[in-house]
Amino acid sequence: MKYYIIAGEASGDLHASNLIKKIKFADKDAVLRGWGGDLMQIQGVELVRHYKDTAYMGFVEVLFHLRDIFRNIDLCKKDISFFKPDVLILVDYPGFNLRIADFAKKEGLKVVYYISPQVWAWKESRVKKMKRTIDRMLVILPFEKDFFKKHNWNVEFVGHPLLDAIHNISNKTKEEFYINNNIDKKDIIALIPGSRKQEISTMLPIMLSVVDNFKDFQFVIAGAPSITAEYYQELLKNSNVKIVYNQTYNLLQNATAALVTSGTATLETALFQVPEVVCYKGNFISFWLAKKLVKVKYISLANLIMDREIVKELIQKDLNKENLQLELHKLLFDETFKSSLKEDYIALKEKLGGEGASKKAALSIIDY
């Protein structure tokens, strides 16, 4: 069969690539084309456009790039019509993908959505249109099935694909990781400032502000695959903080604590049982608009899934050197807090439904 798959950021590229791997295992004649990243390309997808050229975050930033966004949407529609897939698979990335779903449905194509837009957080009004344009919805968060049930939509919970991604990681020893990356033998504090230039330029300098207060530790940055070393060096200036590329999971395997920009990485960090502080600071207008529109209590997936704050969130003005230093000190030296957090992490993993999400999703798509 012919599959057209669209992912718009690093996490979508990861989950789409694992899905594709399972599709190819079950369908030996699979032909794959789409939008995404390096990991999808490695799995054999003929890539039309890389996500690093299409990803914009924040209300204001999207407004500034509207012309590019609509040009990409038009290109995508034409390419889908040219390819004539048996099924269109959309992975998260709702601002773009929901428009494509509407087009594809009108064209008579089968549409599967893997990793639902977070309509439980905002724009719940989208659900009605989604039901009309999406033939099969595969969700990855345990509370999403009940949410959609309220809208008379029977969606399929396949489990969270991060459990598969983490399970498949090669287990390098701590010594191998240190030697291969030429880093000191001190305990590591991981810095995960995001995957887009826009968020990295905001988050990384704040994270780096506490480095001198923890001299018994070394700070190591998880470099995003789509960002050049030169860009990081501009932000690091004369700092001796190390960067490792395409090794975020190996870094988390060996980290004592982490400072993490809000996003999928916060859940990844929790699943590696690494104590973390969740960080977010964005454009003031974008954040103000988000507060008016978004109706969730937390910004991190770990807290949302557990429905309480298990990891500290420092947002906007609260994200500063003093607060970051205080919370990081607690993660490193408060044994009672660390023990309680470990128990919460175990409960979080159990809620996510076990491994096998990628395989379940692939078989569901092929069966449909």
Side-chain angles (χ1 to χ4, degrees):
M1 288 192 292
K2 295 169 70 176
Y3 304 81
Y4 200 102
I5 185 163
I6 304 172
E9 55 194 356
S11 61
D13 180 40
L14 169 66
H15 299 321
S17 69
N18 285 326
L19 173 66
I20 290 160
K21 191 184 302 182
K22 298 301 181 183
I23 287 174
K24 287 168 63 181
F25 183 81
D27 178 4
K28 305 299 183 187
D29 298 319
V31 179
L32 301 139
R33 185 175 173 89
W35 296 44
D38 299 341
L39 297 177
M40 289 170 61
Q41 197 165 31
I42 289 168
Q43 289 303 320
V45 175
E46 185 179 356
L47 216 59
V48 179
R49 187 63 61 91
H50 199 287
Y51 69 76
K52 67 182 179 183
D53 300 320
T54 62
Y56 306 103
M57 60 177 289
F59 298 98
V60 175
E61 294 75 13
V62 166
L63 285 174
F64 279 124
H65 292 92
L66 274 177
R67 182 178 294 180
D68 290 336
I69 291 168
F70 284 115
R71 189 181 294 122
N72 282 328
I73 289 170
D74 188 51
L75 169 63
C76 187
K77 289 176 179 178
K78 289 176 180 175
D79 196 61
I80 290 170
S81 296
F82 163 77
F83 186 64
K84 295 182 173 58
D86 294 296
V87 63
L88 172 67
I89 305 168
L90 306 171
V91 183
D92 200 1
Y93 198 39
F96 189 94
N97 275 341
L98 289 178
R99 286 180 170 84
I100 299 301
D102 187 42
F103 159 80
K105 190 63 178 177
K106 289 173 182 173
E107 293 291 301
L109 297 174
K110 292 182 176 180
V111 181
V112 176
Y113 215 116
Y114 178 49
I115 307 179
S116 169
Q118 295 178 351
V119 284
W120 38 265
W122 75 305
K123 291 193 175 181
E124 190 169 345
S125 58
R126 282 176 164 177
V127 175
K128 190 174 180 181
K129 185 175 182 180
M130 287 165 59
K131 285 177 67 178
R132 291 200 311 268
T133 59
I134 297 163
D135 298 303
R136 182 164 291 196
M137 174 67 79
L138 307 177
V139 302
I140 65 170
L141 296 173
F143 57 79
E144 289 179 317
K145 190 169 177 68
D146 289 336
F147 168 81
F148 285 114
K149 193 172 183 179
K150 291 191 303 182
H151 293 272
N152 298 313
W153 194 2
N154 186 28
V155 302
E156 185 177 348
F157 173 59
V158 295
H160 206 293
L162 276 181
L163 295 172
D164 293 340
I166 289 170
H167 176 77
N168 292 335
I169 184 176
S170 59
N171 285 311
K172 292 182 181 178
T173 66
K174 193 167 189 174
E175 187 176 4
E176 283 179 309
F177 180 76
Y178 278 70
I179 292 172
N180 291 344
N181 293 289
N182 193 30
I183 56 179
D184 299 332
K185 294 296 175 71
K186 293 179 181 178
D187 286 343
I188 291 171
I189 297 171
L191 301 182
I192 307 180
S195 60
R196 303 179 181 95
K197 284 185 177 181
Q198 184 184 321
E199 59 188 353
I200 294 167
S201 63
T202 301
M203 308 303 303
L204 187 55
I206 302 171
M207 293 176 175
L208 292 172
S209 69
V210 302
V211 169
D212 290 339
N213 298 100
F214 297 90
K215 293 187 182 295
D216 291 334
F217 297 84
Q218 63 178 322
F219 290 74
V220 181
I221 299 167
S226 58
I227 306 298
T228 64
E230 290 75 19
Y231 186 79
Y232 285 106
Q233 292 305 327
E234 286 178 17
L235 297 172
L236 285 170
K237 297 184 173 64
N238 297 319
S239 171
N240 61 358
V241 172
K242 297 279 188 178
I243 308 171
V244 297
Y245 291 94
N246 300 315
Q247 297 181 75
T248 301
Y249 285 3
N250 290 130
L251 174 60
L252 287 172
Q253 272 184 324
N254 294 287
T256 301
L259 308 180
V260 189
T261 294
S262 175
T264 305
T266 62
L267 182 57
E268 292 171 321
T269 304
L271 292 175
F272 276 100
Q273 298 200 357
V274 179
E276 66 178 307
V277 181
V278 176
C279 307
Y280 179 79
K281 182 174 282 190
N283 177 283
F284 171 77
I285 297 173
S286 292
F287 182 74
W288 179 81
L289 285 169
K291 279 195 73 173
K292 295 289 184 184
L293 297 171
V294 176
K295 54 181 182 181
V296 291
K297 293 183 285 186
Y298 308 107
I299 64 169
S300 66
L301 282 171
N303 291 341
L304 282 168
I305 293 164
M306 294 296 286
D307 198 27
R308 58 189 174 87
E309 187 176 79
I310 65 170
V311 294
K312 184 65 178 179
E313 299 180 351
L314 294 178
I315 306 169
Q316 291 299 96
K317 62 181 175 58
D318 291 332
L319 179 59
N320 55 55
K321 180 180 178 180
E322 292 72 24
N323 287 342
L324 206 52
Q325 183 178 329
L326 178 68
E327 294 301 328
L328 184 54
H329 189 276
K330 188 191 297 183
L331 296 185
L332 295 170
F333 303 113
D334 187 332
E335 294 302 325
T336 301
F337 177 80
K338 287 162 66 176
S339 177
S340 175
L341 180 59
K342 186 174 182 179
E343 290 178 7
D344 286 333
Y345 278 171
I346 292 169
L348 170 67
K349 187 174 181 179
E350 289 174 354
K351 276 180 172 280
L352 290 175
E355 295 166 8
S358 303
K359 182 178 179 180
K360 290 174 193 170
L363 293 178
S364 179
I365 291 166
I366 292 168
D367 176 65
Y368 176 65

